[in-house]
Amino acid sequence: MAARSVGLLTRLPLCSQRPAQVPRPAFRLLSCPGTVAADVRSEEHLVAKPGSEDKAPKKRFSEVQKERREQAQRTVLIHCPSKISEKKFLKYLSQHGPINNHFFYESFGLYAVVEFCQKDSINSLKNETHTPCLDTEAVIPFKSRFFNLKLKHQSNRISEPLCTQSSSQSPPSSKKLFELLNYAESMDDQLNTLLKAFQLTEENIKLRYLTCSLIEDIAAAYFPSCVVWPFGSSVNSFGKLGCDLDMFLDLDEIEKCDVHKNVGNFLMEFQVKNVPSGRIATQKILSVIGECLDHFGPGCVGVQKILNARCPLVRFSHQASGFQCDLTTNNRIALKSSELLYIYGSLDSRVRALVFSLRFWARAHSLTSSIPGAWITNFSLTVMVIFFLQRRSPPILPTLDSLKSLADAEDRCVIEGSNCTFIQDLNKIKPSGNTETLELLLKEFFEYFGNFSFNKNSINIRQGKEQNKPDSSPLHIQNPFEPSLNISKNVSQSQLQKLVDLARESAWILQQEDRHQPSPSSKRPWGLTTLLIPTAGSKFLPKKKRKKPVSERVKSLLESIKDNSPESSTNTDGKTAMS
Ligand code: CTP
Ligand code: MG
């Protein structure tokens, strides 16, 4: 999976985007008071303060995945006429069974996501649904859970807005974000504000699971017990509105179920076709599923089969949801690393706030890109943040080895010879005693990696310590579950240097007292906003107001500092922060 920090739903305010294959929809959420959608939005105002952890028991990753998948299986996606009476719409659907919740969103047309209380309701709805007859074209009569609703009577049309409560699901514009960040009370507040504005909403998560479920229905034509699991940033707690949807077609579920069914003296096996290697099997499966999506998948467009990649995949756009999807099938370890990141993101509220801001910072400075290349990926950057938080004193995050030492027998997991065992129950992990602020952590992150010996050392979250680099790649970040692999092998020396330079520059900016003092009354950027100004051409400030590019200003300020006695801070290893 290539790193694509910007998907199809998001207008990324701070940096340029790759042209989307599907036009980016204005993703406006429309819902009714009393529905889950409305409840979730009202809860969004209750932002956890940094370090103040939610005491409610946290769900395991596998529990979340199973619950959401089950919900998605009871859910349908309906393209609706632009003006429709919500009351009549719900009454019409309710004849098939009670509705658990629903929401509307706009994505170049009006769509409804409707979750029934029972799965049977969907069969009832399908039985009443017709395959359209077109005059000029033929149709593929594929009966999915993606419907098109038409009005029989004009009385179902309404002239007033669809519902009284509506809120935008799009991330804020750059102007709005600037205002939000500028009016924050502190830098910690800024980081949490950014997280709140860009994290995946409840509805967006539901739509991601529903999209997987719709793809699963198509794959099930060949593999009836298959499961399509979302993984990556859609589920690892670091997803930003607009991120891609990574999908894992799980065919092993079939094997797991069947093993226990064989009782007695015989062992029954399926007659199967043999192929020379697992990779060829993967390529064949994805090739056929890719064809299916292309020819029969309602709303699946731009299907590309990328079968010669290290991890073969089918890439396509799901038009109705606007998601760019990557479907893989031999990628179970990536699902496990998504679970690991989910655990890290859930252990301490500072983790996600820091990761989001750093992902933003990296994107604003073109350190990351939606196009695969020699630059660092969001995944690698996230692992760097986790490593940094493991290195704090006291550590904010435990090492992977210590998560493994807490594991029970039920947590044991070996995938293709790689030991992926770690504790799955988050509630058994002791919270950190570290109380450092986000402001300090952000500054220290820049200082730590501004001075890291990348030429000598590798980043290893399994042990939470630097290790000698096993090869000459400029940036070496050990894959947590496949130690022989470097997850940042693609990063070139010049891209690494850019990262280091920008980290030093940002550390320096944060050392300037006036740069991180809140200034809500003035329009002057401060704190996090200052760091998000791209070096070449700010989107926040009109160009005429900027005297010099940041790098030049920093250079001249550094020169002036050289003449005075510098008060450079130290990083966690006691090294001088600014060299
Ligand atoms: N992955 C991996 N090794 C890599 C690249 C990716 O194990 N070298 C796994 C990670 O679990 C990652 C997932 O594949 O989370 C999806 O990869 P990608 O889409 O590149 O990253 P995301 O974490 O989803 O981030 P983004 O928001 O940029 O899509
Ligand atoms: Mg992804």
Side-chain angles (χ1 to χ4, degrees), residues 384 387-388 444-452 454 459 500 503:
M384 283 172 76
F387 181 75
F388 163 73
E444 294 280 309
F445 175 89
F446 291 133
E447 292 187 354
Y448 185 74
F449 284 112
N451 294 283
F452 191 86
F454 288 106
I459 290 164
V500 170

Side-chain angles (χ1 to χ4, degrees), residues 5-13 17 24-25 170-171 198 208 240-243 322 360:
S5 59
V6 184
L8 298 163
L9 283 179
T10 302
R11 233 178 273 133
L12 190 73
Q17 283 188 69
R24 190 202 170 278
S170 303
F198 287 90
R208 283 170 191 269
K240 197 178 68 181
L241 283 170
C243 66
F360 243 90

Side-chain angles (χ1 to χ4, degrees), residues 80 118 178 408 494 536 569:
C80 301
Q118 287 136 16
F178 175 63
D408 295 329
S494 63
S569 60

Side-chain angles (χ1 to χ4, degrees), residues 1-4 231-233 236 243-244 246 334 337-338 359 378-379:
M1 289 119 300
R4 292 161 308 283
F231 72 99
S233 59
N236 67 15
C243 66
D244 68 352
D246 302 295
S337 68
S338 300
R359 281 185 172 205
N378 280 325
F379 177 56

Side-chain angles (χ1 to χ4, degrees), residues 448-465:
Y448 185 74
F449 284 112
N451 294 283
F452 191 86
S453 303
F454 288 106
N455 55 342
K456 254 188 22 226
N457 291 329
S458 159
I459 290 164
N460 176 347
I461 62 164
R462 183 164 274 285
Q463 291 169 7
K465 57 181 185 212

Side-chain angles (χ1 to χ4, degrees), residues 366-422:
S366 305
L367 284 170
T368 52
S369 165
S370 55
I371 308 161
W375 27 86
I376 191 161
T377 62
N378 280 325
F379 177 56
S380 295
L381 192 63
T382 306
V383 175
M384 283 172 76
V385 179
I386 291 168
F387 181 75
F388 163 73
L389 295 175
Q390 291 174 336
R391 303 289 298 154
R392 301 306 298 163
S393 179
I396 293 179
L397 290 178
T399 64
L400 177 51
D401 274 345
S402 67
L403 292 180
K404 188 179 165 194
S405 69
L406 293 172
D408 295 329
E410 54 156 8
D411 298 317
R412 198 180 135 68
C413 174
V414 177
I415 303 170
E416 290 159 18
S418 299
N419 193 332
C420 304
T421 304
F422 56 84

